[in-house]
Amino acid sequence: PEELGGNITWGPPEVIGFVAHYNIYLSEDAIGTNRTLVTDAVVGTNYYQLPPDTPLLSYTHLLIHSGNHFVEQRTPSVHEIFDQDGRVTNIDYVDQDLDAFEIGGIVTWAPPVAEHIERLVTYNMYLAGGPGGNDRLLVGEQVSSGTNQGFIPAETPLAVHTHLVVYSESEFVEMTTPVAFELEDISAQANGTAFYDLDLDRGHLGGWISWEFPEDT
């Protein structure tokens, strides 16, 4: 959210006349308040790719003005901006790899709300050194939109990672702001193991083995 990126398309005027280029602006309203020039595209081009991670700031509209070397059209074509928010919610994960410093198991989440899911293509899961996604490492496979769970392979090293982060991705770009889940490493190693051999024959064993329950049960 609060960032833009994607394809801007438009149809040419019915009469090209003296049009030499199109000026594309971000604006705070439909009449050009505090507008900022994004690019000027030459006639014959009816497409522009707005770079990913363009700050939305207080802009609400895209304006396209036809122009030439002397003057710019006063009345633009106007498009109201709809900022997509592809963040998932309600991430849930319980470590099912019982070895210390290793994780594995199923991750689940709720998808973005319906009006924001149209352009979503995949979800990407990473291990990260913090909730912002620093020092991230891709884990598991990309998950297609419509599937709301992923799988972390068993024996995945936890290393210095403290969080699982999920990014949504469109056909254009992966979002820059992830949703994070703090990891808890489950270790089910038995403690206090003891064995007393009660078989008195040489080379044979027999007797009771005892142990304490793991702390994580």
Side-chain angles (χ1 to χ4, degrees):
E2 301 182 359
E3 293 178 342
L4 301 174
N7 301 326
I8 304 171
T9 60
W10 62 91
E14 293 182 5
V15 179
I16 294 293
F18 295 103
V19 176
H21 57 263
Y22 305 103
N23 294 333
I24 303 175
Y25 298 88
L26 288 169
S27 172
E28 293 183 354
D29 56 29
I31 60 175
T33 301
N34 294 327
R35 69 180 189 175
T36 298
L37 182 66
V38 174
T39 191
D40 59 339
V42 299
V43 166
T45 301
N46 301 315
Y47 165 91
Y48 175 72
Q49 189 173 84
L50 187 68
D53 307 330
T54 298
L56 179 61
L57 302 177
S58 57
Y59 300 124
T60 59
H61 289 75
L62 279 166
L63 311 180
I64 302 179
H65 292 257
S66 299
N68 57 34
H69 301 296
F70 302 102
V71 68
E72 180 183 84
Q73 174 196 25
R74 294 183 61 185
T75 304
S77 295
V78 178
H79 178 79
E80 186 174 2
I81 295 170
F82 177 71
D83 183 24
Q84 295 280 338
D85 184 356
R87 291 176 296 184
V88 302
T89 57
N90 299 327
I91 297 178
D92 190 39
Y93 169 70
V94 176
D95 182 21
Q96 296 176 349
D97 187 311
L98 302 183
D99 291 308
F101 311 114
E102 294 181 346
I103 61 173
I106 296 174
V107 183
T108 62
W109 58 81
V113 294
E115 60 264 33
H116 295 287
I117 204 169
E118 178 182 356
R119 294 179 176 85
L120 195 154
V121 177
T122 58
Y123 302 104
N124 302 321
M125 300 187 303
Y126 298 86
L127 299 179
N134 54 297
D135 300 322
R136 68 181 191 175
L137 176 68
L138 185 66
V139 62
E141 298 181 353
Q142 281 191 319
V143 179
S144 298
S145 176
T147 301
N148 300 313
Q149 67 176 33
F151 182 73
I152 300 176
E155 302 179 359
T156 295
L158 188 59
V160 298
H161 301 120
T162 58
H163 288 74
L164 173 74
V165 293
V166 178
Y167 290 78
S168 300
E169 184 174 358
S170 70
E171 62 182 13
F172 182 58
V173 70
E174 181 184 79
M175 67 188 301
T176 58
T177 305
V179 178
F181 181 88
E182 189 170 4
L183 291 167
E184 180 183 2
D185 182 24
I186 302 297
S187 174
Q189 182 176 357
N191 299 306
T193 304
F195 170 67
Y196 301 96
D197 183 21
L198 301 178
D199 189 315
L200 302 182
D201 290 312
R202 187 181 184 87
H204 293 175
L205 296 175
W208 295 102
I209 302 172
S210 64
W211 60 89
E212 297 175 6
F213 285 111
E215 294 183 5
D216 294 325
T217 56

